[in-house]
Amino acid sequence: SQTIHQWPATLVQPVGSPLSLECTVEGTSNPNLYWYRQAAGRGLQLLFYSVGIGQISSEVPQNLSASRPQDRQFILSSKKLLLSDSGFYLCAWSFTVSGHYEQYFGPGTRLTVT
Amino acid sequence: AQSVAQPEDQVNVAEGNPLTVKCTYSVSGNPYLFWYVQYPNRGLQFLLKYITGDNLVKGSYGFEAEFNKSQTSFHLKKPSALVSDSALYFCAVRDRKNTDKLIFGTGTRLQVFP
């Protein structure tokens, strides 16, 4: 079976500091990978997605970047955090075969920028 | 534009009563529809999906959803609510322009009272 991991679970960072959040998936090959941000416990905002190693699509211009250095690894980064970067960050994966379009989410990282 | 709408921010139900969480969609062609549940400080969990076939779809934890093409709806239902069903529920539709993506609704908070 497939498993998705995210770390850290919680993070408190000062404004202007760098950020690195990591997501890994086990038990599948060549998944689609996604980064979402959820503000105020409600709506989801798709930040980045990737259909393969080194292939990143950015949905919203912002202070963040993403990378996919390995097939099942997805990293969200920032060089200098802003207060507005606070939120709940969710990584997700999906199969790339027809008929399986649902996404499976990780446990999330709660980021507080102070 | 493609979208899903969840018209109720919150739904309150007494334990043991049937529950319905509403979702309507706006997508050209045949939609692929999904329901997710999110417990506090957790990632989203996949409940069920409609791709094709029977309009009544059964999913996890006793939930089901009915696809209604004429009303462009995909309401989530459960015959008898439990206090443990209290959570945030998201409806989603597959983006037909970019089939690697899902379009999520804004979420409905379900509160089940004992």
Side-chain angles (χ1 to χ4, degrees), chain A residues 51-70:
Chain A
V51 299
I53 295 174
Q55 301 178 61
I56 308 295
S57 296
S58 175
E59 290 296 296
V60 182
Q62 57 205 315
N63 187 40
L64 302 170
S65 62
S67 62
R68 184 172 178 173
Q70 300 180 43

Side-chain angles (χ1 to χ4, degrees), chain B residues 22-58:
Chain B
K22 295 180 180 177
C23 173
T24 58
Y25 65 90
S26 175
V27 172
S28 58
N30 295 321
Y32 296 164
L33 296 157
F34 308 84
W35 274 104
Y36 287 83
V37 61
Q38 185 182 29
Y39 297 100
N41 295 310
R42 304 288 292 276
L44 277 69
Q45 294 180 35
F46 169 67
L47 281 177
L48 52 81
K49 66 181 178 183
Y50 172 81
I51 302 297
T52 186
D54 194 348
N55 288 344
L56 185 63
V57 179
K58 294 188 182 298

Side-chain angles (χ1 to χ4, degrees), chain A residues 32 34 36 38 41-44 46 49 51 59 88 90 99-107 110, chain B residues 9 32 34 36 38 41-44 46 49 51 88 90 94 98 100-102 104 106-109:
Chain A
N32 289 341
Y34 307 83
Y36 290 87
Q38 184 177 31
R42 188 62 79 159
L44 295 170
L46 179 62
Y49 70 97
V51 299
E59 290 296 296
F88 193 48
L90 292 161
H100 293 274
Y101 310 114
E102 63 271 24
Q103 295 176 15
Y104 297 94
F105 285 77
R110 174 78 58 192
Chain B
D9 279 347
Y32 296 164
F34 308 84
Y36 287 83
Q38 185 182 29
N41 295 310
R42 304 288 292 276
L44 277 69
F46 169 67
K49 66 181 178 183
I51 302 297
L88 187 58
F90 289 96
R94 186 186 183 206
N98 184 331
D100 295 315
K101 294 163 52 179
L102 297 181
F104 284 88
T106 53
T108 297
R109 192 165 301 281

Side-chain angles (χ1 to χ4, degrees), chain B residues 35-112:
Chain B
W35 274 104
Y36 287 83
V37 61
Q38 185 182 29
Y39 297 100
N41 295 310
R42 304 288 292 276
L44 277 69
Q45 294 180 35
F46 169 67
L47 281 177
L48 52 81
K49 66 181 178 183
Y50 172 81
I51 302 297
T52 186
D54 194 348
N55 288 344
L56 185 63
V57 179
K58 294 188 182 298
S60 306
Y61 312 122
F63 284 95
E64 58 189 24
E66 185 170 13
F67 172 66
N68 188 315
K69 189 170 184 177
S70 62
Q71 297 186 6
T72 63
S73 67
F74 189 56
H75 299 334
L76 182 70
K77 300 181 179 183
K78 188 173 182 181
S80 178
L82 300 172
V83 172
S84 57
D85 292 330
S86 299
L88 187 58
Y89 290 81
F90 289 96
C91 180
V93 66
R94 186 186 183 206
D95 187 336
R96 291 185 65 84
K97 291 184 179 180
N98 184 331
T99 56
D100 295 315
K101 294 163 52 179
L102 297 181
I103 300 169
F104 284 88
T106 53
T108 297
R109 192 165 301 281
L110 174 67
Q111 189 72 46
V112 182

Side-chain angles (χ1 to χ4, degrees), chain A residues 91-105:
Chain A
C91 181
W93 72 274
S94 68
F95 289 104
T96 53
V97 294
S98 178
H100 293 274
Y101 310 114
E102 63 271 24
Q103 295 176 15
Y104 297 94
F105 285 77

Side-chain angles (χ1 to χ4, degrees), chain A residues 1-51:
Chain A
S1 64
Q2 299 80 23
T3 308
I4 180 169
H5 303 280
Q6 279 187 250
W7 64 91
T10 60
L11 192 60
V12 180
Q13 294 283 95
V15 168
S17 63
L19 173 73
S20 181
L21 303 181
E22 189 164 342
C23 171
T24 59
V25 179
E26 296 176 354
T28 189
S29 296
N30 194 32
N32 289 341
L33 296 171
Y34 307 83
W35 277 113
Y36 290 87
R37 178 168 57 203
Q38 184 177 31
R42 188 62 79 159
L44 295 170
Q45 180 185 35
L46 179 62
L47 301 175
F48 303 94
Y49 70 97
S50 171
V51 299

